[in-house]
Amino acid sequence: MRAGVQVSLKDAQEILAKTDFSQVEILYDRCDFDEYASNELLRGRITGICTKMEELCKHTITSCISFLERQQGSYFVIATMNGEESVHTLGQLLCDCRREIEKSGICVLIENGCRKLSEDYYCNTTLSDAAGLRRLIEDVQTRMPAIHIGICFNTGIANLTGQNMRAMLADLGDLVKLVHVNDNDGKRDMRQIPYSFTTGRGRKSTDWTRFVGQLIRQRYEGDMIFDTTGLFACAPRPLQKVFCQLLYRIYQEWEKQYHFEDVLKKESNGWILFGAGQMSRHFLERWGEKYPPFCLTDNNEDLWNKEKDGVSVIEPSRLAEAPYCNHRVLICNQYYAQIRRQLEEMGIAYDCYYDEYDF
């Protein structure tokens, strides 16, 4: 899974110089595009363009396609926020540009949307849920079967409209070709960095772990773009590099979860799960059939030399003994820091399991 950030065309080169992201998505602005002189430094690093529904016209589509062909971009996003009234003309507009779209091979992506009624109140539209998005895609495909078309899933819009992101992603399935990642408080379209908002007692406004977990489950292989334009608009320019670095670290954390099964494959003889509670049970439910553990271990001496969920439990001091010393340990317990120190003092190799991505 590749990742990048959404920026204006005039800021693209500067942002790319500040971040470890290899690509950017351009937020369309007609003035920027009309004044743009070709820049070889951006070739191959602009993955796509995003434009608002109200800016959509034949000129916009054809100029964006021409730009993407020159810059080796691959997609064109249509953001449908406040654009429900124009949906009925969208199919015809795409038909008018059919020859250019089909010839280019550029993928047209429809973003889930909603309607802003006031500063802190948004309502659903026909393109807020999976059913409405599917209907639009099917209509376009019926009229233009050769066109490449799909869905851009926007986490912020889904949060504003109260969608169950896991269920919506599962419903849309392979139609999701791109994800736009941003956070808000559930009331306003703020386009901030993930993990910015809580709803009290530390509960996240956006359910990021289940969002990432669902992408993993359905083997999503498209791009991930952080469209945190609200963050960049309010942050002083000297701090943009820091925020870009933080966004990249979030991406790395999620990417690590994407490849968790590669971690499991490192131990061919069976893992020893440290923790004999709910998290180890979750591991057994999610991974136990494919990667059955060798045994469990736990600091609770009442569990030693017994079985839990059909797996034997040993005391941690035996991890240094044969045959247990020949197996890697997987921490399945919320007290990661304490158990890490315990294992490091014993010289035991370990990895960690985070069940919130699975359940």
Side-chain angles (χ1 to χ4, degrees), residues 42 147 175 205 239 283 303 308 314 343 345:
L42 296 179
I147 194 174
L175 284 177
S205 176
L239 293 182
F283 177 89
L303 300 176
K308 189 74 181 294
I314 65 168
L343 292 173
E345 289 172 0

Side-chain angles (χ1 to χ4, degrees), residues 134-145:
R134 278 186 174 278
R135 283 194 297 269
L136 177 58
I137 297 298
E138 290 167 1
D139 176 63
V140 173
Q141 288 178 326
T142 298
R143 301 168 70 176
M144 295 173 285

Side-chain angles (χ1 to χ4, degrees), residues 2 21 40 85 140 164 183 215 243 289 355 358-359:
R2 299 184 307 170
F21 288 114
E40 290 298 318
E85 296 82 359
V140 173
N164 181 321
D183 202 4
L215 292 180
F243 285 122
E289 184 175 347
D355 63 341
D358 287 331
F359 291 88

Side-chain angles (χ1 to χ4, degrees), residues 47-115:
T47 183
I49 296 174
C50 180
T51 184
K52 299 174 183 177
M53 183 81 89
E54 58 264 32
E55 297 176 322
L56 209 60
C57 63
K58 186 172 182 179
H59 170 78
T60 302
I61 295 176
T62 54
S63 65
C64 286
I65 287 174
S66 175
F67 175 86
L68 289 169
E69 287 181 312
R70 295 196 308 273
Q71 298 297 330
Q72 301 176 350
S74 61
Y75 65 78
F76 175 63
V77 178
I78 300 173
T80 64
M81 168 78 81
N82 297 323
E84 187 179 24
E85 296 82 359
S86 306
V87 168
H88 67 282
T89 65
L90 177 58
Q92 184 57 52
L93 189 55
L94 293 176
C95 279
D96 293 342
C97 303
R98 177 175 184 172
R99 185 164 62 93
E100 292 88 347
I101 296 172
E102 291 181 352
K103 181 182 177 182
S104 70
I106 299 296
C107 185
V108 177
L109 300 174
I110 310 299
E111 187 175 73
N112 53 312
C114 60
R115 179 184 296 174

Side-chain angles (χ1 to χ4, degrees), residues 250-316:
I250 292 172
Y251 159 67
Q252 286 183 312
E253 172 61 25
W254 292 350
E255 179 77 354
K256 184 170 66 175
Q257 299 307 318
Y258 236 81
H259 296 286
F260 177 66
E261 187 168 5
D262 294 336
V263 173
L264 295 180
K265 291 176 182 177
K266 291 191 300 186
E267 178 52 78
S268 58
N269 296 318
W271 288 83
I272 296 177
L273 307 186
F274 201 123
Q278 182 176 348
M279 196 179 297
S280 63
R281 189 174 300 116
H282 282 166
F283 177 89
L284 292 171
E285 289 178 28
R286 177 69 174 88
W287 299 104
E289 184 175 347
K290 192 171 183 180
Y291 301 98
F294 183 73
C295 69
L296 307 178
T297 187
D298 198 282
N299 286 323
N300 182 354
E301 61 184 62
D302 292 337
L303 300 176
W304 297 348
N305 303 316
K306 297 178 183 177
E307 285 195 355
K308 189 74 181 294
D309 300 313
V311 185
S312 61
V313 183
I314 65 168
E315 58 187 277

Side-chain angles (χ1 to χ4, degrees), residues 7-70:
V7 296
S8 66
L9 182 55
K10 62 184 178 182
D11 291 336
Q13 186 171 336
E14 182 182 355
I15 292 295
L16 281 169
K18 293 177 177 178
T19 177
D20 291 324
F21 288 114
S22 61
Q23 59 188 18
V24 292
E25 176 186 283
I26 302 301
L27 184 60
Y28 179 78
D29 179 278
R30 183 165 182 169
C31 292
D32 287 351
F33 272 63
D34 289 344
E35 297 171 2
Y36 178 71
S38 183
N39 186 340
E40 290 298 318
L41 294 176
L42 296 179
R43 186 182 298 274
R45 303 194 70 182
I46 294 177
T47 183
I49 296 174
C50 180
T51 184
K52 299 174 183 177
M53 183 81 89
E54 58 264 32
E55 297 176 322
L56 209 60
C57 63
K58 186 172 182 179
H59 170 78
T60 302
I61 295 176
T62 54
S63 65
C64 286
I65 287 174
S66 175
F67 175 86
L68 289 169
E69 287 181 312
R70 295 196 308 273

Side-chain angles (χ1 to χ4, degrees), residues 134 165-173 214 218:
R134 278 186 174 278
M165 288 199 290
R166 175 184 279 185
M168 187 173 175
L169 282 168
D171 195 347
L172 290 171
Q214 183 58 39
Q218 62 191 61

